[in-house]
Amino acid sequence: MPYIDPPLNTRQAAQVLGLKPGTLEIWRVRGDGPVFLKIGRAVRYRREDLERYLDGQARRSTSDRG
């Protein structure tokens, strides 16, 4: 049986991204940031979604909008 990485809570996801948890909370309201899961009332993030989000933020110059 394959191992499934448990999803991260907001605090843990923010730590992985080097952000404050409040930043992720604001992004969720605005529809920005990495995709997340809603499990009941709990918000969770999969590591692969955080990695995908970071990959999408890569830029070659400060004027590159992506």
Side-chain angles (χ1 to χ4, degrees):
M1 175 182 253
Y3 175 77
I4 297 174
D5 250 349
L8 306 174
N9 63 32
T10 299
R11 181 186 55 77
Q12 293 166 323
Q15 188 173 14
V16 167
L17 296 174
L19 302 169
K20 293 182 180 181
T23 300
L24 284 177
E25 293 165 3
I26 290 168
W27 286 356
R28 282 197 307 266
V29 171
R30 293 189 334 204
D32 296 333
V35 298
F36 60 92
L37 305 171
K38 194 74 187 252
I39 305 170
R41 294 191 297 185
V43 173
R44 297 291 183 261
Y45 294 87
R46 295 179 292 208
R47 287 187 185 273
E48 59 265 24
D49 292 329
L50 297 178
E51 291 170 8
R52 192 173 300 114
Y53 175 76
L54 286 176
D55 287 344
Q57 301 309 301
R59 305 289 186 264
R60 295 210 178 268
S61 75
T62 56
S63 61
D64 184 0
R65 292 182 166 219

